[in-house]
Short mmCIF file of all heavy atoms in Angstrom, two decimals:
data_model
loop_
_atom_site.label_atom_id
_atom_site.label_comp_id
_atom_site.label_asym_id
_atom_site.label_seq_id
_atom_site.Cartn_x
_atom_site.Cartn_y
_atom_site.Cartn_z
N GLY A 366 5.55 5.12 -3.87
CA GLY A 366 4.85 4.56 -5.01
C GLY A 366 4.68 5.53 -6.16
O GLY A 366 5.30 6.60 -6.22
N ALA A 367 3.79 5.16 -7.09
CA ALA A 367 3.56 5.94 -8.30
C ALA A 367 2.52 7.03 -8.07
O ALA A 367 1.63 6.91 -7.23
CB ALA A 367 3.09 5.02 -9.42
N SER A 368 2.67 8.12 -8.81
CA SER A 368 1.68 9.22 -8.86
C SER A 368 1.44 9.81 -7.48
O SER A 368 0.31 10.23 -7.16
CB SER A 368 0.37 8.74 -9.48
OG SER A 368 0.58 8.27 -10.80
N CYS A 369 2.46 9.86 -6.64
CA CYS A 369 2.36 10.51 -5.34
C CYS A 369 2.71 11.99 -5.48
O CYS A 369 3.35 12.42 -6.44
CB CYS A 369 3.31 9.86 -4.34
SG CYS A 369 2.91 8.15 -3.93
N LEU A 370 2.32 12.78 -4.49
CA LEU A 370 2.71 14.18 -4.39
C LEU A 370 3.30 14.40 -3.00
O LEU A 370 2.60 14.25 -1.99
CB LEU A 370 1.52 15.11 -4.61
CG LEU A 370 1.76 16.60 -4.35
CD1 LEU A 370 2.88 17.14 -5.24
CD2 LEU A 370 0.48 17.40 -4.55
N ILE A 371 4.58 14.71 -2.95
CA ILE A 371 5.27 14.99 -1.70
C ILE A 371 5.57 16.49 -1.70
O ILE A 371 6.42 16.96 -2.45
CB ILE A 371 6.58 14.18 -1.56
CG1 ILE A 371 6.37 12.70 -1.95
CG2 ILE A 371 7.14 14.32 -0.16
CD1 ILE A 371 5.41 11.96 -1.07
N MET A 372 4.85 17.25 -0.86
CA MET A 372 4.95 18.70 -0.90
C MET A 372 6.16 19.20 -0.11
O MET A 372 6.85 18.45 0.57
CB MET A 372 3.66 19.32 -0.37
CG MET A 372 2.44 19.02 -1.23
SD MET A 372 1.02 20.00 -0.71
CE MET A 372 -0.29 19.16 -1.63
N ALA A 373 6.38 20.51 -0.19
CA ALA A 373 7.61 21.14 0.27
C ALA A 373 7.91 20.84 1.74
O ALA A 373 7.02 20.79 2.58
CB ALA A 373 7.54 22.65 0.05
N ASN A 374 9.20 20.65 2.00
CA ASN A 374 9.77 20.52 3.35
C ASN A 374 9.38 19.24 4.08
O ASN A 374 9.62 19.13 5.28
CB ASN A 374 9.38 21.73 4.22
CG ASN A 374 9.87 23.04 3.62
OD1 ASN A 374 11.05 23.23 3.40
ND2 ASN A 374 8.94 23.93 3.33
N ALA A 375 8.80 18.28 3.39
CA ALA A 375 8.46 17.01 4.04
C ALA A 375 9.72 16.15 4.19
O ALA A 375 10.70 16.30 3.45
CB ALA A 375 7.41 16.26 3.24
N HIS A 376 9.67 15.23 5.16
CA HIS A 376 10.78 14.29 5.38
C HIS A 376 10.25 12.87 5.37
O HIS A 376 9.35 12.52 6.14
CB HIS A 376 11.47 14.55 6.71
CG HIS A 376 12.52 13.53 7.05
ND1 HIS A 376 13.63 13.31 6.26
CD2 HIS A 376 12.60 12.63 8.07
CE1 HIS A 376 14.37 12.34 6.80
NE2 HIS A 376 13.76 11.90 7.89
N VAL A 377 10.80 12.05 4.48
CA VAL A 377 10.48 10.62 4.40
C VAL A 377 11.71 9.87 4.91
O VAL A 377 12.75 9.85 4.26
CB VAL A 377 10.12 10.19 2.97
CG1 VAL A 377 9.75 8.71 2.94
CG2 VAL A 377 8.98 11.04 2.42
N ALA A 378 11.58 9.25 6.08
CA ALA A 378 12.73 8.66 6.75
C ALA A 378 13.07 7.28 6.19
O ALA A 378 12.35 6.73 5.35
CB ALA A 378 12.46 8.57 8.26
N HIS A 379 14.15 6.72 6.71
CA HIS A 379 14.63 5.41 6.27
C HIS A 379 13.56 4.32 6.45
O HIS A 379 12.81 4.32 7.42
CB HIS A 379 15.90 5.02 7.03
CG HIS A 379 15.71 4.90 8.51
ND1 HIS A 379 15.27 3.74 9.12
CD2 HIS A 379 15.91 5.78 9.51
CE1 HIS A 379 15.21 3.92 10.42
NE2 HIS A 379 15.58 5.16 10.69
N ASP A 380 13.49 3.44 5.49
CA ASP A 380 12.63 2.25 5.52
C ASP A 380 11.14 2.57 5.48
O ASP A 380 10.31 1.68 5.73
CB ASP A 380 12.94 1.37 6.74
CG ASP A 380 14.38 0.93 6.78
OD1 ASP A 380 14.77 0.13 5.91
OD2 ASP A 380 15.14 1.39 7.65
N CYS A 381 10.77 3.80 5.19
CA CYS A 381 9.35 4.11 5.00
C CYS A 381 8.89 3.53 3.67
O CYS A 381 9.64 3.47 2.70
CB CYS A 381 9.11 5.62 5.01
SG CYS A 381 9.28 6.39 6.64
N VAL A 382 7.62 3.10 3.64
CA VAL A 382 7.03 2.56 2.41
C VAL A 382 5.71 3.27 2.18
O VAL A 382 4.78 3.16 2.98
CB VAL A 382 6.80 1.04 2.51
CG1 VAL A 382 6.12 0.52 1.25
CG2 VAL A 382 8.12 0.31 2.74
N LEU A 383 5.61 4.02 1.09
CA LEU A 383 4.40 4.73 0.71
C LEU A 383 3.82 4.08 -0.52
O LEU A 383 4.55 3.74 -1.47
CB LEU A 383 4.69 6.20 0.42
CG LEU A 383 4.85 7.16 1.61
CD1 LEU A 383 5.98 6.74 2.54
CD2 LEU A 383 5.05 8.59 1.14
N GLY A 384 2.50 3.91 -0.54
CA GLY A 384 1.82 3.32 -1.68
C GLY A 384 1.66 4.30 -2.82
O GLY A 384 2.34 5.32 -2.90
N ASP A 385 0.72 4.00 -3.70
CA ASP A 385 0.45 4.85 -4.87
C ASP A 385 -0.55 5.96 -4.52
O ASP A 385 -1.41 5.79 -3.66
CB ASP A 385 -0.13 4.01 -6.00
CG ASP A 385 0.82 2.94 -6.49
OD1 ASP A 385 2.05 3.10 -6.31
OD2 ASP A 385 0.35 1.93 -7.06
N ARG A 386 -0.40 7.08 -5.20
CA ARG A 386 -1.34 8.21 -5.09
C ARG A 386 -1.43 8.77 -3.67
O ARG A 386 -2.44 9.34 -3.28
CB ARG A 386 -2.73 7.82 -5.61
CG ARG A 386 -2.73 7.37 -7.08
CD ARG A 386 -4.09 6.84 -7.49
NE ARG A 386 -4.49 5.70 -6.67
CZ ARG A 386 -4.05 4.45 -6.82
NH1 ARG A 386 -3.20 4.16 -7.81
NH2 ARG A 386 -4.46 3.47 -6.03
#
Side-chain angles (χ1 to χ4, degrees):
S368 300
C369 295
L370 172 59
I371 314 297
M372 296 189 192
N374 301 302
H376 174 61
V377 182
H379 61 86
D380 302 292
C381 288
V382 177
L383 280 59
D385 298 336
R386 300 173 301 281

